[in-house]
Amino acid sequence: MSQRARILVADDEAHVRKFLVDALAVQGYEVERASDGQEALQLFRKTPFDMVITDLRMPRMDGLTLLKALHEEDPTVLVVVITGYGTVEDAVEAIQNGAFNFLSKPVSLRQLYEVVRKGMEHRRYLLEEAEVLPYMSKELGFEIPSDRKFIPGIASSILRNLEDMRYPLNPNDRFTIPLAVDEALLNAIEHGNRNDPDKKVRVTCRITEEWVEISVEDEGEGFDPDSIPDPTTPEQMTATRGRGLFLIRHYMDEVRFNEKGNKITMLKYNRRIRPGS
């Protein structure tokens, strides 16, 4: 980063704020301060920051709520949380929700500088990577027998490739995309190929900057997806037919079939590009 990196410090304890701000300013960072999460979010909305260092326990808006709000504003901002003594569980929860790292009170200069240094290196990498993101594309292909044992491996392989390519996934996507793949494969094996071991299921996955497209095709006779009853109606609540497709349509942003009805294509859009998806 050619310009001075900007850091926002949010903590309700004045002496902690002063310590962090002074320590970071000495290192050449441009630093702003906030006394709680709500004030920090207001400052962030006015001007961008490369990193936000926030206490987890603050009045008006706590650090975890701030973390989630910041990533809605800018998914690339690095958030470092500060935990009190003996509250590592809070830090783990924050990291699971997208925090880059954590600091433990009392914060030492060595710990602070190391975490910030690593964060800025990571931030620089993300910004450089963003320049080539529009040209990113990857395709995966599988052809498997009609056997349910292959389902978990394909779903996890697709998720792993998304993570390796640093595709923007929110916590919910990490569950819903594999679940949609599971349901589509199960339908192809059991209903399309009718568990015939001689029939194959073909899976393709294309990852681009704008979306992830996953297709599952069986060798069965196909079906009319419009003929599947709505499983949410009272008379269908105890039925199993149609539940898989119902879940897929709710897990993914777009679902379509080929004319024969033996191939389903599911899309999940990049929310950084299409926020309303």
Side-chain angles (χ1 to χ4, degrees):
M1 291 173 284
S2 57
Q3 297 180 334
R4 286 200 301 165
R6 290 174 48 79
I7 300 176
L8 175 60
V9 172
D11 197 298
D12 60 321
E13 297 182 83
H15 69 282
V16 175
R17 286 199 307 274
K18 185 177 187 308
F19 167 76
L20 294 172
V21 170
D22 291 348
L24 293 169
V26 167
Q27 294 293 306
Y29 298 111
E30 186 177 340
V31 192
E32 296 285 345
R33 70 191 76 194
S35 58
D36 58 52
Q38 189 169 317
E39 183 183 359
L41 185 58
Q42 291 172 348
L43 286 171
F44 189 86
R45 285 171 172 165
K46 290 180 181 178
T47 181
F49 290 87
D50 299 291
M51 176 181 288
V52 177
I53 301 176
T54 177
D55 192 12
L56 278 174
R57 301 188 178 181
M58 298 181 293
R60 295 209 298 171
M61 180 185 290
D62 61 49
L64 188 60
T65 303
L66 174 61
L67 164 65
K68 295 175 182 178
L70 289 170
H71 280 165
E72 287 182 2
E73 297 288 330
D74 178 5
T76 69
V77 66
L78 299 179
V79 180
V80 175
V81 298
I82 305 173
T83 66
Y85 177 76
T87 56
V88 178
E89 295 83 2
D90 293 339
V92 171
E93 182 181 4
I95 289 173
Q96 290 174 340
N97 280 275
F100 170 73
N101 211 326
F102 72 97
L103 299 166
S104 299
K105 288 183 178 180
V107 179
S108 69
L109 284 176
R110 181 177 179 180
Q111 181 189 30
L112 174 65
Y113 291 155
E114 182 67 10
V115 168
V116 172
R117 181 187 64 79
K118 288 181 178 179
M120 291 308 172
E121 288 179 355
H122 182 67
R123 172 77 170 169
R124 183 165 53 251
Y125 174 76
L126 289 177
L127 294 176
E128 291 172 352
E129 187 179 49
E131 295 181 1
V132 300
L133 187 61
Y135 309 100
M136 176 185 72
S137 180
K138 185 172 186 178
E139 292 192 20
L140 307 173
F142 308 87
E143 185 174 276
I144 61 170
S146 297
D147 192 325
R148 296 177 59 170
K149 72 179 182 181
F150 295 106
I151 293 178
I154 291 179
S156 62
S157 178
I158 290 174
L159 181 60
R160 186 174 65 253
N161 275 273
L162 289 169
E163 292 172 339
D164 289 346
M165 294 182 71
R166 299 185 182 276
Y167 194 85
L169 298 169
N170 62 39
N172 194 47
D173 291 336
R174 298 178 187 277
F175 294 101
T176 56
I177 292 176
L179 286 172
V181 174
D182 283 359
E183 291 291 345
L185 284 168
L186 191 61
N187 284 341
I189 291 170
E190 294 191 345
H191 301 295
N193 288 346
R194 300 186 182 277
N195 295 303
D196 185 342
D198 294 327
K199 290 184 176 180
K200 306 294 185 183
V201 176
R202 284 173 287 279
V203 183
T204 58
C205 174
R206 187 181 179 202
I207 306 168
T208 73
E209 178 204 13
E210 297 183 2
W211 36 255
V212 180
E213 180 186 84
I214 304 168
S215 296
V216 177
E217 181 178 6
D218 60 63
E219 295 181 342
E221 298 177 356
F223 76 109
D224 179 6
D226 293 331
S227 68
I228 301 296
D230 183 356
T232 63
T233 58
E235 61 272 16
Q236 293 293 327
M237 287 297 288
T238 58
T240 58
R241 186 167 182 254
R243 283 185 176 273
L245 182 55
F246 172 81
L247 292 172
I248 290 170
R249 282 175 166 156
H250 281 75
Y251 290 154
M252 305 299 279
D253 295 321
E254 185 178 331
V255 177
R256 57 177 181 261
F257 288 85
N258 63 351
E259 185 175 354
K260 183 178 178 181
N262 69 327
K263 179 180 179 180
I264 183 173
T265 299
M266 307 168 287
L267 284 90
K268 175 66 74 171
Y269 293 110
N270 182 344
R271 285 171 173 76
R272 294 183 188 174
I273 298 175
R274 299 178 62 164
S277 300

